[in-house]
């Protein structure tokens, strides 16, 4: 028998600077989503419903990065009314593709893009949620993996540790028997330094990983650099690869700053 809404853990889903793709992953859970919706009380999720219940919330799921001073204030308010805070996706965990502005003159961009720049109020940087408040759990990816999202929500509901591997995408290639595109074809691949979770999706389609899950645990980026040099890929291209979806993750940022000199 389904418990009354007030007896179920309350869940709120929040959006900051992002494309909504990670929130859509939650809706894309389809059959599992009905089970999840029956186990929790979805108290705030504007992407899915206009019905909203005021906090506090047992679990807040946060998508997107901090790009305005209003966002910086709002995430502190959300943290204060959330028992557990889960950030999802490259934007929330590493500043996202919009963190490319962290290396640029934002005022110049704004003056070129907008007819009335005086109406635009934006921070000079795009930063991960964890740079502003304490985060209990992060899910990587652009977008996140549906399987990992379900695992984390199930772990939250049952009080167990989530089973999110931190090893590299190469391990997933080996597990599924996908030939290495770098060894077989000399295709540059970020898999050796990128966290698994996608099931080695890109190599399975015969192309290199471009790092959308961000750095794996203890990534050896210098070693990847040597291999890329050996297959004819220079530092300009490596810096570009490091500065994509997870450019402001600590490991990719430090390496790209070093190689860009
Ligand atoms: S294809 Fe990429 S991810 Fe797969 S084993 Fe080779 S380097 Fe690693
Ligand atoms: S192989 Fe790399 S780029 Fe492709 S989905 Fe997986 S982590 Fe993302």
């Amino acid at each position: 028998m389904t418990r009354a809404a007030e007896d179920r853990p309350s869940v709120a889903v929040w959006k900051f600077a992002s494309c909504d793709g990670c929130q859509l992953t939650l809706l894309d859970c389809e059959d599992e989503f009905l089970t999840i919706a029956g186990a929790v009380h979805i108290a705030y999720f504007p992407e899915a419903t206009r019905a909203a219940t005021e906090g506090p919330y047992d679990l807040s799921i946060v998508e997107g990065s901090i790009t305005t001073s209003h966002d910086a204030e709002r995430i502190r308010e959300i943290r204060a009314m959330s028992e557990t805070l889960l950030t999802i996706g490259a934007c929330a965990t590493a500043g996202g593709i919009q963190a490319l502005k962290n290396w640029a003159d934002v005022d110049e961009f704004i003056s070129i893009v907008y007819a009335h720049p005086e109406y635009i109020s934006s921070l000079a940087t795009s930063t991960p949620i964890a740079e502003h408040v304490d985060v209990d759990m992060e899910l990587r990816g652009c977008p996140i993996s549906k399987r990992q999202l379900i695992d984390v929500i199930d772990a939250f509901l049952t009080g167990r540790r989530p089973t999110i591997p931190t090893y590299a995408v190469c391990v997933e290639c080996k597990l599924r028997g996908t030939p290495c595109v770098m060894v077989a074809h000399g295709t540059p691949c970020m898999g050796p330094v990128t966290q698994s979770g996608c099931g080695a999706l890109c190599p399975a389609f015969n192309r290199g990983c471009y790092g959308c899950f961000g750095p794996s645990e203890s990534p050896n980026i210098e070693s990847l650099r040597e291999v890329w040099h050996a297959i004819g890929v220079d530092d300009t291209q490596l810096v570009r690869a490091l500065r994509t979806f997870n450019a402001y993750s600590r490991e990719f940022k430090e390496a790209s700053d070093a190689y860009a000199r």
Side-chain angles (χ1 to χ4, degrees), residues 168-183 192 199-200 203:
V169 175
C170 294
V171 175
E172 294 191 306
C173 272
K174 301 299 173 280
L175 287 171
R176 65 184 291 169
T178 299
C180 175
V181 298
M182 203 140 65
V183 172

Side-chain angles (χ1 to χ4, degrees), residues 64-118:
S65 67
I66 302 300
T67 56
T68 67
S69 51
H70 175 247
D71 281 353
E73 184 60 33
R74 193 161 63 98
I75 191 60
R76 286 193 287 273
E77 293 169 4
I78 290 168
R79 175 69 269 189
M81 60 181 165
S82 306
E83 180 71 22
T84 300
L85 194 142
L86 164 69
T87 54
I88 57 170
C91 300
T93 61
I97 208 163
Q98 58 274 28
L100 292 176
K101 77 175 187 174
N102 301 358
W103 285 271
D105 182 342
V106 175
D107 289 337
E108 185 188 355
F109 279 7
I110 291 173
S111 70
I112 293 170
V113 172
Y114 295 97
H116 291 282
E118 65 273 21

Side-chain angles (χ1 to χ4, degrees), residues 15-89:
K15 173 185 163 62
F16 288 81
S18 57
C19 75
D20 286 29
C22 290
Q23 290 187 67
L24 287 174
T25 302
L26 184 54
L27 295 174
D28 191 37
C29 287
E30 296 172 342
D31 294 345
E32 296 93 339
F33 186 72
L34 292 178
T35 307
I36 293 168
V40 301
H41 169 214
I42 297 182
Y44 183 81
F45 190 3
E47 180 104 352
T49 171
R50 278 182 292 174
T53 307
E54 285 190 7
Y57 306 104
D58 294 306
L59 172 65
S60 273
I61 300 175
V62 179
E63 174 196 82
S65 67
I66 302 300
T67 56
T68 67
S69 51
H70 175 247
D71 281 353
E73 184 60 33
R74 193 161 63 98
I75 191 60
R76 286 193 287 273
E77 293 169 4
I78 290 168
R79 175 69 269 189
M81 60 181 165
S82 306
E83 180 71 22
T84 300
L85 194 142
L86 164 69
T87 54
I88 57 170

Side-chain angles (χ1 to χ4, degrees), residues 169 194-195 198-203 208-213:
V169 175
T194 299
Q195 182 164 303
C198 65
L201 187 62
C202 299
C209 165
Y210 48 90
C212 81
F213 269 63

